């Protein structure tokens, strides 16, 4: 329906501005293979995100697979069951074994104590997620990795432009992986990136994403095609000019939700409002037992009335058929993830969500709350 409201809508810059960049691509005839727009976007993102090195990718899933390959990960990878399935799929594509451990009750990010308890001689890496763009406990997780000599790769798909207590959250761990998918705060239609710390690692990652080529006639690795095209990179450069404005519009929506949902019994807004620099990628609420409808009943109530929130992340990754047989997929091992999957609803949030739509969404939540009054 025309007036349905979905969980997100991609931010799009003025079309005329993009036409100009398309003209440049048409003139140059360079469509891909790390051309001028690709190089400009890497440089611009390093500056914007305050990170030393960035390698652009065609999406974050391939970037995760390449990140695991770049660090030579083989064996068990400790990760979260509470994420989008791509996080664990990257582990399986790398022929490694996911070891699911519980998340923290509030943040729904991997719990450092659970990570520490799961480490064995077979542990090859730790793969946490900054869920909803809320930083994981990076100091504690990096310290565990450092103490055991185990690499940490952050799935930072949601964490574009997010700071933690010491600056960009993307500088933590050995590598961080971003997604620039259409549904993300910063999008290039499809796209992603790996943030690395040294020029040598960036060079290696760049070889891996380009079939393993090391010059015209030399191939040094079983690389893959993970390159971002010039069209996506040009679009990204344009997006970067508008992303601060897009994030401020998200911040205003976040603030209004928090203000107007505060007095609804049984609904709890997630996220730390005191966090340094946020991107407001998602607006997750917890539907508690004191709310008159269950999370699923509220989800259906809203959908039937044309508003489409999402149950990110239900089901848990560990509940999908290709994961269920792993010993660590036993749900009794992660009660916090199980309750998150049962209670969290992500409300619509995107820069062009207008006041009237927001009034309608909040009104529906109030109507649902009143059903039990
Ligand atoms: N790690 C994590 C933690 C992730 O969350 C993701 C992706 C990845 C890794 C992998 O990143 P990529 O390989 O994709 O770069 C969406 C996205 O497809 C997915 O990228 C994202 N996470 C996940 C959380 O959400 P769906 O199945 O919810 O997408 P879909 O098509 O239902 O879209 C949601 C809503 O967005 C739609 O109701 C309407 C709107 N929409 C969507 C698209 C694609 C638009 O308005 N326009 C669009 O073009 O997975």
């Amino acid at each position: 329906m025309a007036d349905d409201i979905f969980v997100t809508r991609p931010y799009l810059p003025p079309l005329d501005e993009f036409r100009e960049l398309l003209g440049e691509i048409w003139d140059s005839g360079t469509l891909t293979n790390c051309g001028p727009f690709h190089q400009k976007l890497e440089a611009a993102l390093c500056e914007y995100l305050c990170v030393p090195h960035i390698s652009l990718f065609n999406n974050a899933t391939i970037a995760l697979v390449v990140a695991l390959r770049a660090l030579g990960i083989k064996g068990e990878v400790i990760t979260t069951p509470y994420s989008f399935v791509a996080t664990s799929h990257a582990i399986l594509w790398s022929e490694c074994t996911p070891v699911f451990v519980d998340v923290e009750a509030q943040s729904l990010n991997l719990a450092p104590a659970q990570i520490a308890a799961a480490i064995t001689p077979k542990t090859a890496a730790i793969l946490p997620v900054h869920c909803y763009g809320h930083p994981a406990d990076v100091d504690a997780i990096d310290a565990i990795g450092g103490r055991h000599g185990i690499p940490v790769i952050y799935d930072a798909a949601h964490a574009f432009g997010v700071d933690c207590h010491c600056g960009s959250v993307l500088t933590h761990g050995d590598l961080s992986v971003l997604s620039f998918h259409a549904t993300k705060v910063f999008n290039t239609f499809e796209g992603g990136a790996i943030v690395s710390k040294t020029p040598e690692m960036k060079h290696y990652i760049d070889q891996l994403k380009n079939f393993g080529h090391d010059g015209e006639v030399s191939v040094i690795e079983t690389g893959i095609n993970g390159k971002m095209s010039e069209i996506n990179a040009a679009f990204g450069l344009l997006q970067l000019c508008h992303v601060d404005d897009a994030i401020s519009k998200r911040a205003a929506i976040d603030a209004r939700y928090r203000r107007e949902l505060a007095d609804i019994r049984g609904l709890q807004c997630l996220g730390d409002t005191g966090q340094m620099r946020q991107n407001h990628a998602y607006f997750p609420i917890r539907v508690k037992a004191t709310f008159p409808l269950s999370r699923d009943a509220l989800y259906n109530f809203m959908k039937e009335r044309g508003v489409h929130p999402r149950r990110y992340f239900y089901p848990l990754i560990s509940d999908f058929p290709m994961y269920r047989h792993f010993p660590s997929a036993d749900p009794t091992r992660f009660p916090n993830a199980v309750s998150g999957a049962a209670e969290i609803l992500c409300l619509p949030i995107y820069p062009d969500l207008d006041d009237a739509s927001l009034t309608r969404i909040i009104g529906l939540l109030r109507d649902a709350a009143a059903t039990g009054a």
Side-chain angles (χ1 to χ4, degrees):
M1 277 178 287
D3 62 351
D4 276 18
I5 302 171
F6 295 91
V7 68
T8 190
R9 271 176 72 82
Y11 178 78
L12 290 168
L15 187 54
D16 282 343
E17 293 181 19
F18 191 43
R19 278 202 189 97
E20 274 179 40
L21 300 182
L22 285 178
E24 287 185 43
I25 294 175
W26 258 241
D27 289 343
S28 76
T30 301
L31 309 188
T32 186
N33 286 4
C34 311
F37 280 115
H38 186 285
Q39 288 170 33
K40 277 190 215 161
L41 182 58
E42 284 193 344
L45 284 173
C46 280
E47 196 180 325
Y48 181 84
L49 297 170
C50 302
V51 297
H53 303 284
I54 282 227
S55 302
L56 295 177
F57 275 80
N58 47 7
N59 61 63
T61 308
I62 295 289
L64 281 167
V65 171
V66 169
L68 288 158
R69 172 66 75 104
L71 296 177
I73 306 302
K74 284 281 156 238
E76 295 185 350
V77 179
I78 295 178
T79 193
T80 169
Y82 192 83
S83 180
F84 187 63
V85 74
T87 309
S88 285
H89 275 1
I91 297 172
L92 290 192
W93 273 91
S94 307
E95 297 183 344
C96 292
T97 304
V99 174
F100 298 111
V101 303
D102 207 2
V103 294
E104 295 168 328
Q106 288 301 313
S107 72
L108 298 169
N109 283 320
L110 270 185
Q114 301 290 329
I115 298 174
I119 288 183
T120 72
K122 289 189 194 154
T123 308
I126 305 169
L127 180 49
V129 176
H130 301 299
C131 194
Y132 307 129
H134 304 155
D137 188 345
V138 285
D139 285 341
I141 296 173
D142 288 358
I144 295 167
R147 209 160 47 239
H148 295 273
I150 297 170
V152 179
I153 300 170
Y154 286 101
D155 179 339
H158 305 170
F160 182 90
V162 167
D163 281 358
C164 59
H165 63 96
C166 61
S168 170
V169 78
L170 303 172
T171 58
H172 284 272
D174 294 81
L175 300 172
S176 288
V177 174
L178 289 157
S179 171
F180 305 151
H181 181 259
T183 55
K184 299 296 188 286
V185 166
F186 171 83
N187 88 76
T188 57
F189 281 42
E190 290 272 3
I194 300 182
V195 174
S196 54
K197 291 189 157 156
T198 64
E200 294 77 20
M201 181 53 77
K202 172 178 164 50
H203 182 64
Y204 186 40
I205 289 168
D206 288 345
Q207 288 176 326
L208 284 174
K209 79 173 188 192
N210 188 24
F211 311 101
H213 269 303
D214 180 28
E216 198 176 318
V217 292
S218 163
V219 173
I220 50 134
E221 272 274 2
T222 319
I224 200 161
N225 184 354
K227 290 171 277 118
M228 177 182 279
S229 85
E230 285 292 279
I231 288 213
N232 301 95
F235 187 77
L237 270 175
L238 190 52
Q239 290 285 61
L240 210 47
C241 304
H242 297 277
V243 73
D244 283 336
D245 181 44
I247 291 174
S248 345
K249 287 179 173 153
R250 285 174 175 276
I253 294 163
D254 182 304
R256 186 168 165 207
Y257 270 138
R258 280 178 204 282
R259 225 173 26 247
E260 299 194 24
L261 301 184
D263 66 340
I264 302 186
R265 187 160 176 263
L267 292 187
Q268 182 199 357
C269 303
L270 267 67
D272 172 7
T273 46
Q275 189 187 312
M276 307 294 287
R277 184 179 172 212
Q278 309 183 41
N279 67 11
H280 311 283
Y282 296 84
F283 197 84
I285 57 169
R286 190 181 279 272
V287 184
K288 301 196 332 193
T290 46
F291 193 76
L293 301 183
S294 69
R295 188 279 311 271
D296 287 347
L298 177 60
Y299 167 77
N300 288 324
F301 178 92
M302 296 181 84
K303 269 179 73 149
E304 282 156 14
R305 289 156 182 80
V307 174
H308 302 261
R310 287 294 285 266
R311 292 169 291 181
Y312 296 132
F313 290 100
Y314 163 84
L316 292 176
I317 296 175
S318 44
D319 281 339
F320 290 120
M322 64 295 287
Y323 293 99
R324 271 186 217 141
H325 68 281
F326 289 108
S328 69
D330 173 1
T332 59
R333 297 180 64 254
F334 31 79
N336 293 333
V338 168
S339 86
E343 293 180 358
I344 300 292
L345 196 59
C346 287
L347 299 181
I349 185 164
Y350 49 90
D352 296 329
L353 186 65
D354 58 27
D355 279 346
S357 300
L358 207 46
T359 302
R360 185 171 147 208
I361 299 164
I362 294 166
L364 276 185
L365 291 166
R366 291 202 167 280
D367 291 350
T371 58

